[in-house]
Amino acid sequence: MPSSIIISQIWQFYRKLCNVGYDSTSEQLEYDYNYDETAHEGKSQNSPRFRKKGELYLDSFNSEPWSCSFGTSEENGVWMNSNDQAGSVMAALVWLLMLYSMVTISLLEATDGIPITAGMLYCLLCTMALASHAKCSLTDPGSVPRAAVPCESQRQTQTSHAMCGQCQTFKPLLSHHCRICNRCVSRMDHHCPWMNNCVGAANLKHFLLFLVYTWTCSAFALVLFGWNYFLCAEDDCMFHPIVVHLVRVMTILAIGAFLFTSSMLMNVTYGLMTGIGTIDRLKKKATNTMSQSDEEPIPLKDVFGVGGYHTWPLPVDPLFENYDRCMGYSMPQRLAREQQLMENQRPKDQPELEPSPSLELPTCVNNLLPV
């Protein structure tokens, strides 16, 4: 049997086992928008494979800014909220407490207070929690660009569309304007000061991973300490006199973290099951309209993506099955590239379209939207 067939069968088995929702061999666009013909002796790049209507593909165009600047505007290359000093202090405090717990567990391990495997496992969980925290803090939560336009499904089912009074741009369903980040965020749940960032459609996975890993760290530490306090009567179970004081402080921190993350996990789980975020739920409760809610549950693939089960526990950006549907908006530049792709033409980047000062969508944008 040829090796190519064996590799293909292994890949198909891997896709079914890990529930990979895309095939990179057929859905990858494989088009370099930065292709320089002069560097290839004037040879033109091959056009992408013709796509049928409704067929998914991985767009290789990078529309993110390349500037080495920090902030929450569209021109900043790195997303970082620096407008909230209290949030910056609280986010730094998370790292300080996590590192304190890792040092305490390492000292217990060095003084033979706990097994070395338990210490290594705890430090691994803390590392994953800190990686998820950093990813959640430095990831765009789903900010709505100035040139955003409604998706095709929204144009077919809605006769009017909301506009943000602060941004003066299209406001997708379930999105809210954050006064701290000064941006509209798609499917915004809340602004978390511990993350120093909003929690939205694009970083909900990282926020959920941080809660899970922090909850696991707290529960694991309480189990280790509880075993020593209540179930072990041997002399070998005695902690070092100096480390005992660190353990007492860490026990209080672990109880607080366990209770807080438990409540937040229940809150996020309720939001996924009902499709109602924290802000929307508070508004509905204030107006007594919870019984009139018609939101649908949020599928897990809209949180963790379709990259496969093996990517779920890792703090990497999810690959959404339909990015426009998950974010609630589309971009005229992408729609123009897709239209050229459907017409079997060579895709080209479109110039940036300035937002219209009026509440109506610009005519040039309406012409680019699918009917």
Side-chain angles (χ1 to χ4, degrees):
M1 183 179 296
S3 58
S4 59
I5 298 180
I6 298 178
I7 295 176
S8 176
Q9 292 178 349
I10 294 176
W11 168 243
Q12 294 300 329
F13 174 76
Y14 167 77
R15 289 188 61 200
K16 292 181 180 179
L17 180 65
C18 296
N19 194 28
V20 179
Y22 76 101
D23 188 357
S24 59
T25 59
S26 61
E27 297 177 7
Q28 183 69 36
L29 190 59
E30 296 178 351
Y31 187 82
D32 185 9
Y33 287 92
N34 299 320
Y35 185 83
D36 188 5
E37 294 185 0
T38 58
H40 296 80
E41 300 179 353
K43 184 179 179 181
S44 301
Q45 184 181 185
N46 295 329
S47 298
R49 178 179 62 82
F50 178 74
R51 258 70 174 180
K52 299 179 181 180
K53 187 174 182 179
E55 184 179 359
L56 300 178
Y57 66 94
L58 297 173
D59 194 353
S60 58
F61 181 76
N62 185 8
S63 59
E64 299 298 327
W66 290 90
S67 61
C68 185
S69 57
F70 300 86
T72 58
S73 66
E74 291 189 45
E75 293 75 20
N76 296 124
V78 180
W79 180 276
M80 176 180 288
N81 179 27
S82 57
N83 300 325
D84 185 15
Q85 288 75 19
S88 301
V89 173
M90 295 176 69
L93 186 62
V94 172
W95 279 72
L96 182 63
L97 295 179
M98 279 287 189
L99 293 176
Y100 170 83
S101 67
M102 293 176 67
V103 170
T104 303
I105 292 296
S106 299
L107 291 176
L108 287 176
E109 178 186 335
T111 55
D112 297 329
I114 59 174
I116 185 173
T117 54
M120 294 176 61
L121 179 59
Y122 182 86
C123 291
L124 176 62
L125 294 173
C126 282
T127 302
M128 295 299 294
L130 290 177
S132 301
H133 182 275
K135 191 64 178 175
C136 184
S137 300
L138 301 177
T139 296
D140 187 341
S143 59
V144 182
R146 291 189 295 266
V149 295
C151 302
E152 180 180 4
S153 58
Q154 295 173 341
R155 284 172 52 85
Q156 292 176 349
T157 57
Q158 301 177 16
T159 57
S160 61
H161 306 284
M163 303 290 291
C164 177
Q166 301 291 332
C167 302
Q168 295 298 319
T169 56
F170 167 64
K171 188 176 182 180
L173 188 65
L174 301 180
S175 65
H176 298 279
H177 183 87
C178 178
R179 292 177 293 178
I180 299 177
C181 296
N182 198 26
R183 296 290 298 275
C184 280
V185 178
S186 295
R187 212 171 70 207
M188 178 179 174
D189 188 82
H190 67 286
H191 182 92
C192 180
W194 298 103
M195 299 289 121
N196 194 28
N197 195 8
C198 288
V199 177
N203 66 346
L204 180 59
K205 171 190 174 182
H206 311 312
F207 180 71
L208 186 56
L209 287 180
F210 171 76
L211 293 178
V212 171
Y213 285 126
T214 305
W215 184 91
T216 307
C217 287
S218 304
F220 188 42
L222 292 176
V223 169
L224 290 177
F225 299 158
W227 173 268
N228 178 271
Y229 292 156
F230 305 110
L231 302 178
C232 188
E234 300 178 2
D235 294 338
D236 296 339
C237 295
M238 295 295 295
F239 291 157
H240 193 276
I242 298 179
V243 184
V244 168
H245 301 289
L246 299 177
V247 171
R248 291 172 179 171
V249 176
M250 183 177 169
T251 302
I252 299 175
L253 296 176
I255 294 175
F258 180 81
L259 296 176
F260 179 74
T261 52
S262 297
S263 64
M264 289 303 301
L265 281 173
M266 289 187 292
N267 181 72
V268 173
T269 303
Y270 181 83
L272 294 177
M273 295 176 62
T274 60
I276 307 174
T278 302
I279 297 178
D280 293 315
R281 185 163 64 253
L282 293 176
K283 288 184 176 180
K284 290 179 181 293
K285 287 183 177 180
T287 57
N288 197 22
T289 57
M290 281 293 293
S291 59
Q292 304 175 8
S293 303
D294 56 354
E295 289 82 359
E296 297 181 354
I298 300 176
L300 290 180
K301 65 179 180 180
D302 289 352
V303 178
F304 296 95
V306 294
Y309 293 139
H310 63 285
T311 63
W312 286 26
L314 302 177
V316 296
D317 290 332
L319 179 64
F320 295 121
E321 182 181 38
N322 190 329
Y323 186 84
D324 290 359
R325 178 178 57 81
C326 293
M327 294 295 111
Y329 66 85
S330 186
M331 294 292 291
Q333 293 88 348
R334 192 201 63 77
L335 293 174
R337 295 195 304 271
E338 183 173 298
Q339 183 179 7
Q340 293 171 346
L341 186 65
M342 296 299 299
E343 296 175 355
N344 202 17
Q345 298 178 3
R346 184 180 299 277
K348 294 182 180 179
D349 182 23
Q350 298 295 316
E352 230 178 85
L353 301 177
E354 296 295 332
S356 174
S358 64
L359 294 179
E360 297 293 332
L361 292 175
T363 304
C364 56
V365 173
N366 276 321
N367 294 335
L368 289 173
L369 290 172
V371 179

